[in-house]
Amino acid sequence: MRYLDLSPSLCHALSLRETPFFVFNLDEVRKALRTLRKALQPDFVAYAVKCNSLPGVLATLVKEDCWFEINNVAELDKVVAAGGSPKRVVNSSPICPARDVAILHARGVRRFAIDSLAQVENLSHNAPGCEVFVRLETSNLGSKFALSHRMGVIPD
């Protein structure tokens, strides 16, 4: 854990806040994204909104041209409110209800996860022409911790 020397004025400002509360260093958020991009050189990085959906964090990532990973309409609303575009959103929930798929697609989301034929049918009816990616089940061999087997199709 890193400790910071806090100025008396910052200490006073913090003492006026109700607890608990979070303080985020948005420069560190930007730095982490840039480090990840430099190391992996991916086509795009999609930030999982469920990790931290505070408007300041999302707006910072929007300014950095980050994409977003969502699981529902409420998360899309947060991205859009922060200035993000549905064109830079991936819905990674392969169990997304038909109603939500239709809403997301109508609002401009074009990338969806699948892990079953039922979800393929859902998308064909409610998000025609969308792009899909397949979630695969893994063996967890070599993982530092076991991932859930709740989602993902067996590669065979």
Side-chain angles (χ1 to χ4, degrees):
M1 181 176 220
R2 188 170 57 156
Y3 294 94
L4 302 174
D5 289 326
L6 301 178
S7 69
S9 62
L10 180 57
C11 286
H12 176 71
L14 293 175
S15 72
L16 300 176
R17 299 287 228 155
E18 274 192 58
T19 60
F21 67 91
F22 295 101
V23 176
F24 292 93
N25 183 333
L26 298 177
D27 288 334
E28 289 295 321
V29 171
R30 281 187 281 276
K31 181 180 171 186
L33 177 61
R34 290 172 183 170
T35 299
L36 183 64
R37 283 180 169 151
K38 184 177 179 182
L40 299 178
Q41 299 180 4
D43 290 338
F44 64 88
V45 174
Y47 174 79
V49 173
K50 68 180 158 264
C51 291
N52 182 335
S53 62
L54 290 176
V57 172
L58 299 180
T60 297
L61 293 169
V62 167
K63 290 176 186 169
E64 291 292 316
D65 293 322
C66 190
W67 286 52
F68 295 91
E69 179 269 325
I70 64 166
N71 286 294
N72 54 55
V73 175
E75 289 180 349
L76 176 62
D77 290 343
K78 290 176 181 181
V79 169
V80 171
S85 168
K87 293 179 181 180
R88 290 179 166 240
V89 168
V90 176
N91 177 14
S92 69
S93 176
I95 56 172
C96 195
R99 178 185 160 278
D100 286 2
V101 167
I103 292 169
L104 294 171
H105 190 259
R107 291 188 185 174
V109 176
R110 294 295 180 261
R111 292 167 184 84
F112 294 83
I114 59 171
D115 70 356
S116 69
L117 290 176
Q119 190 62 6
V120 171
E121 295 222 358
N122 181 358
L123 294 176
S124 70
H125 288 89
N126 297 296
C130 71
E131 296 178 17
V132 299
F133 59 97
V134 179
R135 289 181 69 133
L136 297 175
E137 183 177 314
T138 66
S139 69
N140 291 307
L141 183 65
S143 296
K144 293 193 183 226
F145 60 91
L147 299 173
S148 171
H149 287 296
R150 294 179 304 148
M151 291 187 233
V153 65
I154 297 171
D156 292 342

